[in-house]
Amino acid sequence: MRPANSSTASWLAAAVFAAVMTIGGGLVAAQSAPDSENGRYSMAPIPEGVLRLDTRTGTVSTCSRNGAGWACYAVPDERTALDAEIGRLQAEVEKLKGQIAAGATVSGKIDEALPKSDPLKKEPKVAEGDRKIEIPLPSDQDVDRVMSFLEKAWRRLIDMANRVQKDVSGKI
């Protein structure tokens, strides 16, 4: 047996490669990427498979390999939904313009101005004869309750300040 030189080895490698391609060509063709159908589709690899753009219609699909071969699913087209919404809004605007031109009033609108006062705010009572404003004053019981609350709050504030001062000085 003679030693193989580099030209013989490369010729042998090419022959083996051609044989493998001939034998395995049917298997490779069965699992190859989706057909580009004479340039109609433009393909781009993505991690899940292939992104396919139909150059005639503009439809984008994702193609992935499953057990039976390749399957392509159309990507939802937001542009179609947006165009439909724009068309609906334009029709609604035209309808409203027609109503305004016909003199129809828009529901919910009133001709007179709203009152400036707050309906929940209690107005001071007015005496009938003198037209004087009467302001109700708090009773002695109300004043005593407020003073009791303020005294308790003041005592708690002083106690809290004393505790903080003791904690800081370390005299717990």
Side-chain angles (χ1 to χ4, degrees), residues 1-13:
M1 192 166 175
R2 63 179 191 183
N5 60 22
S6 64
S7 66
T8 306
S10 62
W11 181 83
L12 183 59

Side-chain angles (χ1 to χ4, degrees), residues 37-60:
E37 198 172 312
N38 297 328
R40 176 177 177 179
Y41 298 107
S42 175
M43 308 280 188
I46 58 173
E48 296 85 25
V50 177
L51 191 66
R52 180 181 77 176
L53 169 67
D54 187 341
T55 56
R56 290 186 197 159
T57 64
T59 305
V60 177

Side-chain angles (χ1 to χ4, degrees), residues 46 50-52 58-63 72-78 80:
I46 58 173
V50 177
L51 191 66
R52 180 181 77 176
T59 305
V60 177
S61 304
T62 55
C63 300
C72 297
Y73 300 99
V75 174
D77 188 10
E78 292 180 11
T80 305

Side-chain angles (χ1 to χ4, degrees), residues 85-107:
E85 180 67 10
I86 289 170
R88 186 189 68 78
L89 290 173
Q90 285 175 339
E92 185 177 342
V93 166
E94 292 302 319
K95 177 183 158 191
L96 291 173
K97 282 182 180 179
Q99 287 178 353
I100 290 172
T105 59
V106 179
S107 63

Side-chain angles (χ1 to χ4, degrees), residues 9-26 28:
S10 62
W11 181 83
L12 183 59
V16 170
F17 179 74
V20 168
M21 290 303 291
T22 304
I23 294 170
V28 172

Side-chain angles (χ1 to χ4, degrees), residues 66-143:
N66 59 21
W70 285 87
C72 297
Y73 300 99
V75 174
D77 188 10
E78 292 180 11
R79 181 66 187 184
T80 305
L82 291 175
D83 286 341
E85 180 67 10
I86 289 170
R88 186 189 68 78
L89 290 173
Q90 285 175 339
E92 185 177 342
V93 166
E94 292 302 319
K95 177 183 158 191
L96 291 173
K97 282 182 180 179
Q99 287 178 353
I100 290 172
T105 59
V106 179
S107 63
K109 182 169 171 85
I110 55 175
D111 291 334
E112 68 261 2
L114 293 174
K116 301 278 184 195
S117 64
D118 184 6
L120 299 176
K121 182 179 176 185
K122 292 183 180 178
E123 301 267 338
K125 295 179 182 177
V126 177
E128 289 297 320
D130 299 336
R131 306 294 294 171
K132 293 182 182 178
I133 297 176
E134 293 179 14
I135 300 174
L137 296 175
S139 66
D140 288 340
Q141 184 182 8
D142 292 337
V143 172

